[in-house]
Short mmCIF file of all heavy atoms in Angstrom, two decimals:
data_model
loop_
_atom_site.label_atom_id
_atom_site.label_comp_id
_atom_site.label_asym_id
_atom_site.label_seq_id
_atom_site.Cartn_x
_atom_site.Cartn_y
_atom_site.Cartn_z
N ILE A 71 -114.91 125.29 142.50
CA ILE A 71 -115.46 124.11 141.84
C ILE A 71 -116.31 123.33 142.80
O ILE A 71 -117.38 122.92 142.48
CB ILE A 71 -114.24 123.24 141.41
CG1 ILE A 71 -113.49 123.90 140.26
CG2 ILE A 71 -114.74 121.82 141.02
CD1 ILE A 71 -112.20 123.16 139.85
N ASP A 103 -122.49 80.38 137.70
CA ASP A 103 -122.80 79.56 138.87
C ASP A 103 -124.30 79.31 139.10
O ASP A 103 -124.65 78.26 139.62
CB ASP A 103 -122.17 80.25 140.15
CG ASP A 103 -120.64 80.16 140.11
OD1 ASP A 103 -120.08 79.54 139.18
OD2 ASP A 103 -119.97 80.86 140.96
N THR A 117 -121.63 92.85 127.22
CA THR A 117 -121.75 93.32 125.78
C THR A 117 -123.05 93.89 125.49
O THR A 117 -123.17 94.99 124.88
CB THR A 117 -121.42 92.09 124.81
OG1 THR A 117 -120.19 91.57 125.18
CG2 THR A 117 -121.49 92.59 123.45
N ALA A 123 -126.39 100.94 125.43
CA ALA A 123 -125.95 102.28 125.66
C ALA A 123 -125.43 103.02 124.45
O ALA A 123 -125.65 104.16 124.24
CB ALA A 123 -124.73 102.22 126.70
N PHE A 129 -129.13 109.76 121.11
CA PHE A 129 -130.42 110.47 121.27
C PHE A 129 -130.47 111.17 122.72
O PHE A 129 -131.37 111.94 122.90
CB PHE A 129 -131.59 109.40 121.21
CG PHE A 129 -131.64 108.75 119.92
CD1 PHE A 129 -130.96 107.52 119.63
CD2 PHE A 129 -132.35 109.29 118.83
CE1 PHE A 129 -131.04 106.91 118.42
CE2 PHE A 129 -132.44 108.72 117.63
CZ PHE A 129 -131.80 107.48 117.41
N LYS A 141 -134.57 116.88 134.78
CA LYS A 141 -135.67 116.04 134.74
C LYS A 141 -135.41 114.66 134.13
O LYS A 141 -135.76 113.54 134.61
CB LYS A 141 -136.81 116.72 133.82
CG LYS A 141 -138.13 115.89 133.70
CD LYS A 141 -139.11 116.61 132.81
CE LYS A 141 -140.44 115.89 132.72
NZ LYS A 141 -141.39 116.62 131.94
N LEU A 148 -134.32 106.82 138.24
CA LEU A 148 -135.41 106.03 138.86
C LEU A 148 -135.57 104.74 138.12
O LEU A 148 -135.75 103.66 138.76
CB LEU A 148 -136.72 106.86 138.82
CG LEU A 148 -136.87 107.95 139.88
CD1 LEU A 148 -138.06 108.83 139.55
CD2 LEU A 148 -137.11 107.34 141.21
N LYS A 256 -134.30 126.19 127.50
CA LYS A 256 -134.37 125.13 126.58
C LYS A 256 -134.72 125.74 125.19
O LYS A 256 -135.62 126.69 125.19
CB LYS A 256 -135.45 124.09 126.93
CG LYS A 256 -135.05 123.35 128.23
CD LYS A 256 -136.10 122.28 128.48
CE LYS A 256 -137.38 122.96 129.00
NZ LYS A 256 -138.48 122.02 129.37
N ALA A 277 -113.36 110.87 118.44
CA ALA A 277 -112.62 109.86 117.64
C ALA A 277 -111.33 109.35 118.32
O ALA A 277 -111.00 108.22 118.36
CB ALA A 277 -112.48 110.28 116.25
N ALA A 279 -110.69 109.66 121.47
CA ALA A 279 -111.12 108.97 122.66
C ALA A 279 -111.58 107.59 122.36
O ALA A 279 -111.31 106.65 123.15
CB ALA A 279 -112.25 109.76 123.37
N ILE A 312 -104.38 100.01 142.72
CA ILE A 312 -103.25 100.81 142.32
C ILE A 312 -103.63 101.80 141.12
O ILE A 312 -103.29 102.93 141.09
CB ILE A 312 -101.98 99.97 141.87
CG1 ILE A 312 -101.55 99.13 143.12
CG2 ILE A 312 -100.88 100.76 141.36
CD1 ILE A 312 -100.54 98.09 142.88
N ILE A 319 -104.38 110.44 142.67
CA ILE A 319 -103.24 111.21 143.08
C ILE A 319 -102.90 112.26 142.03
O ILE A 319 -102.53 113.39 142.34
CB ILE A 319 -102.04 110.36 143.41
CG1 ILE A 319 -102.42 109.51 144.68
CG2 ILE A 319 -100.77 111.16 143.60
CD1 ILE A 319 -101.35 108.41 144.90
N TYR A 338 -99.99 114.62 125.84
CA TYR A 338 -98.91 113.91 125.19
C TYR A 338 -98.29 112.99 126.11
O TYR A 338 -98.01 111.78 125.81
CB TYR A 338 -97.88 114.89 124.54
CG TYR A 338 -98.33 115.50 123.22
CD1 TYR A 338 -98.45 116.82 122.99
CD2 TYR A 338 -98.54 114.63 122.14
CE1 TYR A 338 -98.80 117.35 121.83
CE2 TYR A 338 -98.90 115.16 120.91
CZ TYR A 338 -99.03 116.49 120.76
OH TYR A 338 -99.37 117.03 119.50
N GLY A 342 -98.14 108.59 126.26
CA GLY A 342 -96.92 107.88 126.41
C GLY A 342 -96.96 106.93 127.58
O GLY A 342 -96.55 105.82 127.57
N LEU A 351 -97.28 95.39 130.60
CA LEU A 351 -98.20 94.25 130.65
C LEU A 351 -97.77 93.07 129.70
O LEU A 351 -97.90 91.88 130.14
CB LEU A 351 -99.62 94.62 130.30
CG LEU A 351 -100.43 95.14 131.50
CD1 LEU A 351 -101.91 95.48 130.98
CD2 LEU A 351 -100.63 94.09 132.62
N LEU A 360 -96.81 93.77 137.24
CA LEU A 360 -98.21 93.92 137.11
C LEU A 360 -98.62 95.22 137.84
O LEU A 360 -99.44 95.95 137.37
CB LEU A 360 -99.02 92.76 137.72
CG LEU A 360 -100.48 92.76 137.52
CD1 LEU A 360 -100.82 92.49 136.05
CD2 LEU A 360 -101.20 91.70 138.37
N THR A 373 -105.71 110.20 133.06
CA THR A 373 -105.49 111.58 132.72
C THR A 373 -106.27 111.84 131.27
O THR A 373 -106.86 112.82 131.14
CB THR A 373 -104.02 111.92 132.50
OG1 THR A 373 -103.47 111.83 133.77
CG2 THR A 373 -103.81 113.33 132.01
N GLN A 424 -99.02 89.24 122.90
CA GLN A 424 -99.17 89.94 121.54
C GLN A 424 -100.36 90.93 121.61
O GLN A 424 -100.28 92.02 121.01
CB GLN A 424 -99.46 88.90 120.42
CG GLN A 424 -99.51 89.55 119.05
CD GLN A 424 -98.17 90.19 118.68
OE1 GLN A 424 -97.08 89.65 118.88
NE2 GLN A 424 -98.29 91.41 118.22
N LEU A 442 -102.39 115.57 114.71
CA LEU A 442 -103.05 116.03 113.47
C LEU A 442 -104.36 116.78 113.82
O LEU A 442 -104.70 117.84 113.22
CB LEU A 442 -103.36 114.79 112.52
CG LEU A 442 -104.09 115.07 111.29
CD1 LEU A 442 -103.25 116.11 110.35
CD2 LEU A 442 -104.35 113.81 110.50
#
Side-chain angles (χ1 to χ4, degrees):
I71 292 174
D103 294 354
T117 303
F129 298 93
K141 184 176 181 179
L148 282 168
K256 297 180 288 184
I312 296 171
I319 292 169
Y338 280 123
L351 271 179
L360 189 67
T373 296
Q424 186 60 49
L442 178 63

